[in-house]
Amino acid sequence: GESLCSGALINNTCNLNIPYLLTANHCFDTNPQQNVANWKFTFQAWSATCTPSQNANGITFNGSTFRARNAGSDFCLVELNQMPPSSSGITLAGWSRNIVGIQQTTIIHHPAGDVMKISRDDQPPVFANFGGAQTWQLTLDQGATNPGSSGGPYFDQNRRIIAQHFGTNNINANPCLNTAKFGGRFDISWTGGGTNATRLSSWLDPNNTGAMTTDTRGVGIRGPALVCSSSSATYSLVGAVSWSASPASLFTVTSGTGTTFTTAAASGVNGTGTITATTAGGCGTITLNVGVSSTLPTPTISIISLDAPTGVVNGVSRGGTFRFQADAISNVSSGGGFEWGIPSGW
């Protein structure tokens, strides 16, 4: 009952931190039917070099909740049980419902569960019916797809998702020669079957703003977890219109408008606090928080080796050299290796 597919985390019109993932309906509708609660999601599994290709473990999250799917454009939307942390570098992809002005298409996918691959069509896509679904048809100029590429996002030249990969018209042909690819159209998925469980609009535009596009954005508030009095810390969020830091006694605020916020810890004050970003728009007021500390954490020290003892007293080793490792702490000269000698016969 297991299958390998591709997919992408996708943004919504409210810029809410909701980890929706778009993939293909046929990845869900297998025999037996998939249980999305048991799905595993791996991101950033890419090779550091092209030749030779190298394995990459990426970052994995477990479990999701079903949201919507429809065979009419072969889409499936699930919500991950865990939001990737802002420090992960994972982003929420933008999308477009436009059906005109598409000049080229790029597919990002994981064929057969392999490290990330990129395929591209340098011409505009065309409408096609494939497997009973309304799709965009590509003729690839670079790259190929394989089983496991299903659900991989089709990005237009503006880096917005316009479809997710469905399949190819001749699975028996050489993958490198079989260039015709079909992806379920995002604009069709938007209205889907007309219900919450069969369309994207209910989840990606909950306040019915009518937006035609969104852009890719980062996850949450980005910035350091440690704020010092000797240097300022900067935080950013797409769409932020107001910022605050509390408690006021812990921070000296440098600036707090637009998409970035800069602050520093008050001198001589230690503790933990909260940076808050508030956005407003067609979806109402949205508040996001990130916890920060002005107190250095206590380093963890562990013994990593013990050289041969230099003496034995009453059958007990009494001498030797221990080596230990101290965890690196931001803004503190620590980390690296240290030696601690114990005199013989102590």
Side-chain angles (χ1 to χ4, degrees):
E2 293 186 356
S3 62
L4 293 172
C5 283
S6 303
L9 284 178
I10 191 165
N11 197 8
N12 57 73
T13 57
C14 298
N15 282 332
L16 292 171
N17 275 12
I18 302 177
Y20 292 133
L21 183 130
L22 181 68
T23 187
N25 179 62
H26 71 269
C27 293
F28 178 99
D29 196 11
T30 58
N31 187 16
Q33 193 172 81
Q34 293 290 307
N35 180 1
V36 301
N38 296 330
W39 281 8
K40 293 183 178 180
F41 305 88
T42 300
F43 300 91
Q44 299 178 340
W46 49 58
S47 175
T49 60
C50 290
T51 306
S53 179
Q54 302 175 18
N55 292 330
N57 294 327
I59 305 173
T60 298
F61 301 92
N62 295 315
S64 66
T65 301
F66 168 78
R67 292 304 181 210
R69 70 186 184 102
N70 192 264
S73 56
D74 190 50
F75 89 88
C76 178
L77 185 75
V78 299
E79 180 179 340
L80 272 62
N81 290 345
Q82 181 182 356
M83 186 70 188
S86 57
S87 60
S88 67
I90 295 172
T91 58
L92 305 175
W95 45 260
S96 174
R97 296 197 284 133
N98 292 319
I99 60 174
V100 296
I102 304 172
Q103 301 170 10
Q104 63 183 36
T105 308
T106 300
I107 310 175
I108 297 180
H109 54 112
H110 294 269
D114 197 3
V115 293
M116 186 182 75
K117 305 296 182 183
I118 300 175
S119 306
R120 194 172 76 181
D121 177 12
D122 293 327
Q123 285 73 44
V126 296
F127 289 162
N129 186 292
F130 178 79
Q134 298 185 64
T135 66
W136 285 115
Q137 180 178 347
L138 313 182
T139 303
L140 294 181
D141 293 289
Q142 299 181 33
T145 61
N146 291 103
S149 299
S150 294
Y154 285 25
F155 289 95
D156 66 10
Q157 70 276 5
N158 298 312
R159 299 178 177 85
R160 295 169 176 151
I161 294 176
I162 59 169
Q164 70 286 326
H165 185 60
F166 190 166
T168 187
N169 57 355
N170 187 350
I171 61 175
N172 296 317
N174 184 324
C176 294
L177 301 178
N178 188 9
T179 59
K181 310 297 176 182
F182 302 85
R185 286 165 46 191
F186 191 91
D187 62 297
I188 300 298
S189 304
W190 191 256
T191 54
T195 65
N196 290 348
T198 60
R199 65 188 176 199
L200 290 177
S201 60
S202 298
W203 307 98
L204 303 186
D205 190 16
N207 282 50
N208 196 29
T209 66
M212 294 297 295
T213 65
T214 63
D215 291 324
T216 298
R217 64 178 294 268
V219 174
I221 299 173
R222 290 195 176 184
L226 180 65
V227 180
C228 300
S229 59
S230 58
S231 60
S232 61
T234 300
Y235 301 85
S236 63
L237 173 71
V238 175
V241 294
S242 64
W243 294 84
S244 65
S246 62
S249 60
L250 186 63
F251 300 97
T252 57
V253 177
T254 304
S255 69
T257 60
T259 59
T260 59
F261 175 79
T262 302
T263 189
S267 179
V269 180
N270 295 325
T272 58
T274 302
I275 306 296
T276 300
T278 303
T279 67
C283 297
T285 300
I286 303 158
T287 301
L288 298 174
N289 299 302
V290 60
V292 297
S293 174
S294 66
T295 305
L296 287 172
T298 301
T300 300
I301 300 176
S302 56
I303 296 174
I304 57 175
S305 69
L306 170 63
D307 289 352
T310 58
V312 177
V313 179
N314 295 326
V316 178
S317 299
R318 295 294 188 181
T321 301
F322 294 90
R323 290 183 175 85
F324 62 93
Q325 180 75 31
D327 290 347
I329 301 175
S330 177
N331 298 323
V332 178
S333 297
S334 64
F338 299 86
E339 288 192 0
W340 175 27
I342 301 178
S344 301
W346 58 275

